[in-house]
Amino acid sequence: QVHLVESGGGSVQAGGSLRLSCATSGITYQYGCMAWFRQVPGKEREMVATIWLGGGNPSYAAPVKGRFTISQDNAKNPLYLQMSNLKPEDTAMYYCAAKHTGGSCQLSAHQYDYWGQGTQVTVSS
């Protein structure tokens, strides 16, 4: 059973930085995707960044491109999201997700198989 646990959220002022971590366990497949999503109350969960399981081919949503970096050294190590130059509109619950697939990682939230419990990020102006 795949298990994902996020950490690293918190409160920060605009312009600050945070690094989110996602500890993974139970991933036995060789090919897949890892992703970070975020959600604010009343809105759909939106993709922030994706990467192939174990690293490679990072991709970012337009609002975070150039400010956020997704990384994973290998399939057994944690997934990270380095967030810099944070803005109040980045305030959300951030979720780690995983999917067993050999195809594209550019998928909607409901297409991902496994989820963590989320970590809150709050950016004040």
Side-chain angles (χ1 to χ4, degrees), residues 1-16:
Q1 179 69 21
V2 175
H3 194 49
L4 307 174
V5 180
E6 302 95 334
S7 61
S11 297
V12 65
Q13 288 192 326

Side-chain angles (χ1 to χ4, degrees), residues 11-105:
S11 297
V12 65
Q13 288 192 326
S17 299
L18 283 173
R19 188 176 80 155
L20 305 184
S21 299
C22 174
T24 69
S25 61
I27 293 180
T28 58
Y29 47 83
Q30 184 176 1
Y31 299 105
C33 298
M34 300 295 299
W36 288 98
F37 284 78
R38 66 186 181 186
Q39 188 172 26
V40 298
K43 291 191 176 182
E44 290 190 359
R45 197 167 292 190
E46 64 173 1
M47 186 273 288
V48 174
T50 67
I51 196 168
W52 289 341
L53 178 66
N57 200 34
S59 180
Y60 301 92
V64 308
K65 201 167 186 178
R67 300 188 296 121
F68 291 11
T69 302
I70 188 172
S71 63
Q72 186 184 34
D73 289 341
N74 64 59
K76 301 297 185 183
N77 283 0
L79 176 73
Y80 296 104
L81 185 69
Q82 177 67 48
M83 305 186 294
S84 302
N85 190 22
L86 282 160
K87 304 176 181 180
E89 51 264 42
D90 294 318
T91 295
M93 184 71 78
Y94 283 71
Y95 296 91
C96 171
K99 179 171 178 65
H100 180 198
T101 179
S104 172
C105 297

